[in-house]
Structures are given as C-alpha cells and as structure tokens.
Amino acid sequence: MNKALNRFYDVLVSIYIYNEYTGYTELDKLLSAIKVKYPDEKEFIATVEKHTNDERKHYRMFRDYFEKAGKTPFFVDATYGYIDLFIKLVFKKPIEDLDREEIINNDKQFFKLCRLIMMTEFRGMKQVDKLLKNVLIRKNNSLFKIFKIIERDEPTHCYPYQNWLKKRNSHMPGFEEKFTDLWIHYSILLIKFPILFFNFRLARMNKFYD
Ligand SMILES: [Fe+2]
Ligand SMILES: [Fe+2]
C-alpha cells in the first residue's frame, strides 16, 4: 500500500513539476516580449513579473520535495503539460514554435493568449482546491503545505490578463475555449494520469529541469 501511495505522490509531483517549469519559463519569454511592446504598462509588467516569480517558486518547492527524498521526477513530456496542450489546440502549433513577437503585435492573438493563461490559472485554482480536500494529500504533510502555499498565490495570477482583456473590451473565454479546457483537464486526470501510474517501466529523469 505504501509503495502505491508513494508512487501516486511521485507521479502527481512529476506532472506538477513539469507544468510549473513550463509555466515560469514560458512566462519569462512572454514578459520580455511585453516589456518591448508595452514598456509603459508598468502595472501589467509588475503583475506578470509576480506571476512568473510565483511559478518559479512553485517549481522550486516541488523540486525541494524530491530532493529531500533523494529522488528525481518521472519523465513527463508535453502531453502532460496543460499549457502545451492548450496552445497546441488553440494556436494549432507546438509551444516551441509559438512566435511571441507575432502574437504580441496582433491584438486578436494576444487576447487569445491572455484568455488561455487566465483559464490555465482558473483550472489550477480548482485543482489545488480539490487536492487540498483529498485524503491522500492530507496524509502527506509536506505536500499539503506546498499546495497550501499554491492556494494562497494562485488567485492573483489570472487578474493581470483578465484586466487586460476587460480594459480593451475583449470577450471572456468562449464555448470552444471552455470545452478545450475541460477536455485537457479530464484527459490528463482520467486517462493520462493512470497511464503514468501503471507504467512500471516509466523512467526517472537523471537530473532536474534547467
Ligand atoms: Fe503554479
Ligand atoms: Fe499559477
């Protein structure tokens, strides 16, 4: 039983660590593009900066969790990345081919990206809420503490993008975007998570990201 439980924690943290890592590295790139295009939008820049720093901190917490246990994460690829999947489905290209300059110079595209980040954060909030109520997470003190910190940080993350859209009278997420969000969420939870959990040949990374 303990072995299965530990595997559950390790798979969960491996998915989280991949997502936090992708989150802060992608936000970092976006932030540089925002600073070039909108140098006077100080408040927007500051809030996106805070968001980036928070995601980096989340990554560090999960990394510490593994380091303390003397482990590295399981190898998790872009098919488990919430933002990777969202970008692929909405922008029809992999995240590494995303042209941030092109996006930021096109209002329609940038609004789309803002909605996408916003929805990712809403999903993150709901997910943390569920995990904090989960008996298995409540049993694991160090993970519970990490998710408590994330719960505190998360609500501020969607505001910069939400405000940006509101100020410019752009619409909020539409049906297609909402459907995409649900599809990604449930396919990870119900299909992909069990696949990782039961894949006993799943290797661990030999080092951490970056
Ligand atoms: Fe995060
Ligand atoms: Fe977040």
Side-chain angles (χ1 to χ4, degrees), residues 4 24 30 35 44 47 67 76-78 81 84 100 125 127 162 166 173 178 201-202:
Y24 87 76
L30 181 67
K35 281 179 181 165
F44 185 51
T47 46
E67 277 176 339
V76 169
D77 64 16
D84 304 63
R100 283 152 200 91
M125 266 158 68
Q127 191 52 44
Q162 204 171 18
K166 271 189 193 156
K178 284 184 186 162
R201 278 199 252 156
L202 184 67

Side-chain angles (χ1 to χ4, degrees), residues 70-121:
K71 295 173 184 171
T72 52
F74 283 120
F75 186 78
V76 169
D77 64 16
T79 52
Y80 290 84
Y82 189 87
I83 200 92
D84 304 63
L85 293 165
F86 220 153
I87 283 179
K88 208 170 167 192
L89 290 168
V90 171
F91 286 93
K92 317 280 182 234
K93 57 173 101 171
I95 201 164
E96 57 271 21
D97 293 346
L98 211 62
D99 187 340
R100 283 152 200 91
E101 264 179 43
E102 190 191 311
I103 291 179
I104 207 150
N105 283 303
N106 176 326
D107 273 353
K108 229 176 125 190
Q109 297 263 309
F110 190 52
F111 291 158
K112 219 186 219 185
L113 186 65
C114 284
R115 281 196 298 274
L116 200 151
I117 301 174
M118 224 177 81
M119 292 190 76
T120 306
E121 294 302 328

